[in-house]
């Protein structure tokens, strides 16, 4: 494991402690933070993220500030790069 990979894991965990991310959304954020795609992927893969739980958390974040239909929330979560199954899980978790 390289220093950059360790740093990517650490940064990924920091992000997940503050905000909900999908796996691929977290990779995008780490790439934005100047990690290589390979290191960002390693960081997301080793962050300990529970992607269903992250989808539920993100769904709750959205529902606390906006009103969504079920399909609208699922579409928004998919836009945030959650898988269709994860997005559906998130919508179910908030009662839609």
């Amino acid at each position: 494991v390289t220093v950059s990979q360790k740093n990517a894991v650490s940064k990924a965990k920091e992000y997940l402690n503050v905000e909900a991310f999908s796996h691929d959304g977290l990779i995008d954020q780490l790439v934005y933070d100047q990690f290589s795609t390979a290191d960002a992927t390693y960081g997301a893969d080793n962050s300990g993220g529970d992607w269903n739980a992250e989808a539920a958390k993100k769904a709750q974040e959205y529902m606390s500030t906006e009103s969504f239909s079920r399909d609208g929330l699922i579409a928004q979560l998919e836009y945030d790069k959650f898988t269709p199954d994860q997005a559906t899980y998130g919508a179910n978790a908030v009662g839609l």
Side-chain angles (χ1 to χ4, degrees), residues 34-93:
Q34 305 297 310
F35 287 96
S36 71
T37 301
D39 288 345
T41 301
Y42 183 89
D45 287 349
N46 292 280
S47 65
D50 175 338
W51 308 115
N52 278 338
E54 291 297 312
K57 198 171 7 170
K58 192 66 164 182
Q60 188 57 54
E61 288 174 12
Y62 280 126
M63 294 298 288
S64 69
T65 59
E66 300 178 55
S67 297
F68 281 91
S69 67
R70 177 179 174 80
D71 289 348
L73 180 59
I74 289 170
Q76 180 61 52
L77 293 170
E78 288 178 354
Y79 177 81
D80 291 330
K81 299 195 174 183
F82 287 98
T83 67
D85 285 347
Q86 292 164 353
T88 299
Y89 182 93
N92 290 342

Side-chain angles (χ1 to χ4, degrees), residues 7-13 15 21 23-37 39-45 47:
N7 288 343
V9 170
S10 178
K11 191 67 167 178
K13 289 179 179 181
Y15 277 121
F21 280 91
H23 177 268
D24 290 353
L26 184 56
I27 291 170
D28 287 350
Q29 182 61 51
L30 293 170
V31 168
Y32 178 82
D33 291 337
Q34 305 297 310
F35 287 96
S36 71
T37 301
D39 288 345
T41 301
Y42 183 89
D45 287 349
S47 65

